Amino acid sequence: MRDPYTMRCVDVCPNNTFWDPNTDQCVQECPTDNSSAIFYGDSSLTKPTCVLADNCSSGYYADGHVGLCV
């Protein structure tokens, strides 16, 4: 994945960013794809990742106001 600040490849995204598996980039906000699917940042994962609402970690839910699994 690529760090958006340094443009270098990294194993884990920097703090306050999420890995977007669709683009293999680190992003500050998770995207909406072409099919209107909304992705949420799940920072409870070992590698903070953009996930679909149904894929938030157990015990977390997708909060559309902040775009995160909380």
Side-chain angles (χ1 to χ4, degrees):
M1 69 194 83
R2 188 175 298 274
D3 180 330
Y5 305 111
T6 65
M7 299 309 290
R8 293 179 183 218
C9 292
V10 294
D11 291 326
V12 177
C13 291
N15 287 339
N16 300 317
T17 63
F18 301 93
W19 174 53
D20 179 0
N22 298 310
T23 62
D24 200 28
Q25 302 256 351
C26 299
V27 296
Q28 290 180 328
E29 294 181 17
C30 293
T32 301
D33 72 9
N34 294 338
S35 66
S36 299
I38 299 172
F39 290 85
Y40 298 87
D42 191 341
S43 59
S44 70
L45 300 170
T46 303
K47 181 181 354 182
T49 304
C50 294
V51 298
L52 293 170
D54 292 342
N55 295 333
C56 285
S57 295
S58 180
Y60 290 80
Y61 68 93
D63 184 335
H65 293 287
V66 294
L68 300 171
C69 296
V70 294

